[in-house]
Amino acid sequence: MAINPQSIGGGSHMGGLARRLVADKLLTEDAAKDLHQKALKANTPFVSLLVEQKRVKASDIAWRGSQEFGAPLADLSVLRIDQDLVNEVGEKLVRRHRALPLFKRGKRLFLAVADPTNLSALDEIKFATGLQTEAVVVEDDKLGKALDVAVNAAEAASMDMGDSDLESLDISEGTEDRKEDEVTRADSEEAPIIRYVNKVLIDAINRGASDIHFEPYERKYRIRYRIDGQLKEVANPPVQMGGRLAARLKVLSRLDLAERRIPQDGRIKLKLSANKSIDFRLSTCPTLWGEKIVMRILDASSAMLGIDVLGYEPEQKALYLKALERPQGMILVTGPTGSGKTVSLYTGLNILNTENCNISTAEDPAEINLPGINQVNVNPKVGLTFAAALRSFLRQDPDVIMVGEIRDLETAEIAIKAAQTGHLVLSTLHTNDAPQTLTRLLNMGVPAYNIASSVTLIIAQRLARKLCNVCRRPAQIPEAELLREGLSEEQIRAPGFTLFEAVGCDQCTDGYKGRMGIYQVMPVTEAIGRIIMEGGNAIEIADQADKEGVADLRKSALRKVCAGIMDLKEANRVTVD
């Protein structure tokens, strides 16, 4: 395929594809220039930005890209992806360049791309593989989905280990770089336990678990994974193994083997490859029949996902980004334990994490290491509380401060003072929705004028399971019932309106696969500030937020239901009190 390099760039500072879209009146020149600059600034592909913002249909872009540059056009949904070819090219190159290997013909490698002007992708993959590369134009949205499947499969393949690999898996305590033989203590008697524990850890990662529970009972020992927020029993090793399993896990996390009467906390680092490792936070608790151990899987990649994949509606995402751009003020994220508050906060911190920004966090404990951010673990036993850490931060020339949780009046007052004196403060509270967060601060004893003048945005959130795209099926629900559930007539009678329900297949868990956030994003406007100053309650604040167009958690969940992302049963589970 011949692409003229001169067609890229040019006096208009836009690529040839953008100029074709302008010529065909799918975009104005000003809009194309603006989007092109936004794509450069956000380091995202121009085509992906067009599709994400629904400015031009993916199919229109693909057809014009094919016509303009003489590249073949293909429908990716009907093509079979050669996973061996993806593994050969490498998931890093595939992900970075959004170029998916399709097939090989002799010395030529055909790559699915959304933008045929992406010559750097073709050249780098050509250099890495030694093959001539040819572009095949596909629709960007289909390419994104196919890339996710291919990359996840590549990562899973890298974790597929035999018994010999499991025995020598590189696992170390999470805070020190220690040699493998120092932590495994592998001898002939321990080898079966080593293999078994390592297999449980690898299996949990492969299945997307967030927690692993090791639970001893009088006549039974069970191991459960929490997958998509739900616990699933996965194994029942012999009861006699319980003590040895606990001992093995305590050795790995450098806990006191002899101490079985009090809870202990530790960390483990599991090295999967030269570039990928997973941290585990481990907690022991003495029970009637032995030590129960729970391991939280801390995958740093979850904090690097980016705001676009968390499930925010476009207007909610815009409000969050606008609040992050402010030089001062307070952003509060609220919800129950396990609702994804940490990921929302870390995502915001990653957006702010630049060379010219001093960021400090106080956490209990710091779950994921974030390079470039100063993270502190609070330790009340030695006097290092959230309040003490905050006071220290304010003497260290901070720009952004993150407090893991506002638990008391002292912490709240220092955080608000920081927000009022030129700092951006992010924190969490445990309340049911955004309006209740403001009344919770009032009940703590924070003066109303301090709340109204410092809090800029409140995000209430839940995590809900997504329907499996492979096995979901249309649901037949009477219109009267849908209206009772809170859907509007406009939603029900919209063209193409279809609700789906969970079924279950070998690629999911009970019809669900993965989770996404449901959000209520409420800016503290002047009107809401006045209600706070006048001593208004959460109901009055919620009414005002509704008048201002703020969707509550229920409405946000129903939007996901109408979009076919989740079913009504799941929406009810996470939003009905």
Side-chain angles (χ1 to χ4, degrees):
M1 179 196 68
I3 297 178
N4 179 9
Q6 301 302 321
S7 66
I8 304 167
S12 69
H13 303 290
M14 295 186 298
L17 181 57
R19 287 202 296 273
R20 174 63 186 264
L21 296 174
V22 171
D24 286 359
K25 297 183 179 180
L26 293 175
L27 276 178
T28 65
E29 186 168 350
D30 287 342
K33 287 180 180 178
D34 179 56
L35 288 165
H36 190 260
Q37 289 301 316
K38 285 181 179 177
L40 290 174
K41 187 177 179 181
N43 194 28
T44 191
F46 173 69
V47 172
S48 298
L49 189 63
L50 284 177
V51 175
E52 177 190 328
Q53 296 195 357
K54 298 181 180 178
R55 303 298 292 268
V56 185
K57 290 182 180 178
S59 56
D60 289 339
I61 298 172
W63 186 83
R64 280 158 179 83
S66 172
Q67 293 291 311
E68 182 74 8
F69 301 104
L73 180 67
D75 182 356
L76 200 53
S77 63
V78 300
L79 296 178
R80 188 182 68 83
I81 305 304
D82 188 336
Q83 192 62 45
D84 291 337
L85 208 51
V86 175
N87 296 338
E88 181 182 333
V89 172
E91 57 98 5
K92 277 191 175 181
L93 279 178
V94 169
R95 188 198 297 272
R96 186 193 315 148
H97 291 302
R98 288 179 65 82
L100 184 64
L102 293 176
F103 52 86
K104 221 171 19 175
R105 292 289 183 271
K107 291 291 184 180
R108 291 191 301 164
L109 176 65
F110 291 84
L111 299 166
V113 295
D115 183 356
T117 66
N118 188 3
L119 298 183
S120 62
L122 301 178
D123 289 342
E124 190 168 342
I125 294 174
K126 175 183 177 181
F127 179 79
T129 61
L131 300 170
Q132 293 294 326
T133 51
E134 299 277 355
V136 176
V137 182
V138 298
E139 295 166 46
D140 184 80
D141 49 357
K142 292 180 180 178
L143 177 61
K145 292 176 182 177
L147 283 169
D148 287 342
V149 172
V151 168
N152 288 340
E155 289 180 347
S158 70
M159 299 181 199
D160 188 12
M161 304 179 180
D163 283 352
S164 60
D165 297 316
L166 288 169
E167 201 168 322
S168 60
L169 195 60
D170 186 357
I171 308 181
S172 61
E173 191 274 327
T175 57
E176 294 183 17
D177 185 14
R178 308 174 70 238
K179 292 182 180 178
E180 178 186 337
D181 57 3
E182 290 180 320
V183 297
T184 60
R185 301 182 187 178
D187 57 35
S188 58
E189 286 186 3
E190 291 183 304
I193 292 291
I194 291 171
R195 287 197 302 271
Y196 189 83
V197 169
N198 293 353
K199 187 177 187 305
V200 169
L201 301 188
I202 289 295
D203 185 49
I205 295 169
N206 283 337
R207 294 177 63 173
S210 61
D211 302 85
I212 312 171
H213 292 240
F214 296 83
E215 300 171 312
Y217 299 98
E218 183 179 12
R219 294 185 176 86
K220 178 181 179 181
Y221 193 97
R222 72 178 177 184
I223 298 174
R224 294 190 290 174
Y225 296 160
R226 188 176 293 278
I227 301 173
D228 294 338
Q230 305 294 302
L231 281 170
K232 298 287 181 184
E233 187 171 305
V234 295
N236 296 109
V239 174
Q240 298 80 1
M241 280 182 63
R244 296 171 68 194
L245 288 171
R248 173 62 184 160
L249 292 168
K250 290 169 75 174
V251 165
L252 290 174
S253 51
R254 301 185 69 204
L255 299 182
D256 185 352
L257 281 175
E259 183 55 79
R260 301 184 183 91
R261 299 165 299 171
I262 60 174
Q264 297 186 70
D265 296 300
R267 291 177 80 98
I268 296 173
K269 182 182 286 292
L270 187 153
K271 196 174 180 66
L272 297 172
S273 66
N275 301 314
K276 186 173 177 64
S277 61
I278 302 287
D279 288 337
F280 297 82
R281 191 178 75 208
L282 181 143
S283 171
T284 73
C285 182
T287 69
L288 285 176
W289 308 106
E291 289 180 286
K292 175 180 177 178
I293 295 179
V294 177
M295 302 178 70
R296 168 66 56 89
I297 301 175
L298 307 173
D299 186 355
S301 63
S302 66
M304 309 295 178
L305 290 173
I307 194 169
D308 292 325
V309 300
L310 297 185
Y312 286 94
E313 300 291 336
E315 66 274 13
Q316 295 175 335
K317 171 185 165 184
L319 287 169
Y320 191 17
L321 293 176
K322 183 179 179 181
L324 290 171
E325 289 172 358
R326 294 176 61 124
Q328 66 183 54
M330 180 181 286
I331 300 172
L332 294 174
V333 182
T334 181
T337 300
S339 60
K341 298 188 299 294
T342 299
V343 171
S344 282
L345 286 175
Y346 280 6
T347 299
L349 291 178
N350 277 320
I351 292 170
L352 297 168
N353 188 13
T354 59
E355 181 183 354
N356 57 5
C357 188
N358 178 20
I359 304 175
S360 296
T361 74
E363 304 172 67
D364 184 22
E367 293 193 353
I368 295 173
N369 177 40
L370 299 173
I373 293 176
N374 308 290
Q375 295 173 272
V376 174
N377 279 333
V378 299
N379 186 354
K381 292 180 182 177
V382 298
L384 183 55
T385 61
F386 281 120
L390 270 172
R391 288 194 193 94
S392 176
F393 292 164
L394 292 174
R395 294 190 290 269
Q396 298 237 322
D397 185 31
D399 296 302
V400 178
I401 295 171
M402 194 270 271
V403 188
E405 183 183 350
I406 294 178
R407 296 175 178 171
D408 51 52
L409 178 58
E410 184 183 17
T411 305
E413 287 180 336
I414 300 171
I416 283 176
K417 179 183 176 183
Q420 291 172 331
T421 55
H423 308 93
L424 181 62
V425 179
L426 289 78
S427 190
T428 71
L429 276 172
H430 288 286
T431 58
N432 289 331
D433 61 16
Q436 289 184 36
T437 303
L438 296 171
T439 55
R440 171 73 185 279
L441 291 172
L442 286 169
N443 292 336
M444 276 187 182
V446 180
Y449 63 86
N450 278 343
I451 299 173
S453 63
S454 59
V455 179
T456 56
L457 186 75
I458 303 173
I459 301 172
Q461 66 180 77
R462 301 287 189 276
L463 283 179
R465 294 176 295 172
K466 297 191 293 185
L467 285 169
C468 173
N469 287 327
V470 175
C471 64
R472 67 175 188 175
R473 68 185 177 199
Q476 304 300 322
I477 303 174
E479 184 174 322
E481 184 177 340
L482 295 178
L483 291 171
R484 283 195 300 271
E485 293 285 359
L487 276 78
S488 67
E489 290 187 4
E490 182 182 359
Q491 288 174 314
I492 296 171
R493 291 166 187 172
F497 173 78
T498 305
L499 296 189
F500 292 88
E501 62 184 2
V503 178
C505 66
D506 58 1
Q507 297 188 38
C508 66
T509 304
D510 301 329
Y512 302 95
K513 187 172 184 179
R515 290 191 291 175
M516 73 183 316
I518 297 171
Y519 305 92
Q520 178 186 26
V521 181
M522 187 184 83
V524 179
T525 60
E526 289 184 10
I528 291 176
R530 280 195 298 271
I531 295 173
I532 299 168
M533 295 289 290
E534 293 166 1
N537 57 35
I539 295 174
E540 292 171 317
I541 295 170
D543 288 342
Q544 179 59 37
D546 186 58
K547 291 176 185 176
E548 294 176 2
V550 174
D552 61 19
L553 288 167
R554 180 64 178 174
K555 289 179 181 177
S556 293
L558 291 178
R559 287 183 186 178
K560 300 287 193 295
V561 171
C562 292
I565 300 171
M566 72 174 67
D567 61 2
L568 202 50
K569 177 182 176 183
E570 182 68 4
N572 289 336
R573 186 184 71 83
V574 298
T575 63
V576 175
D577 296 329

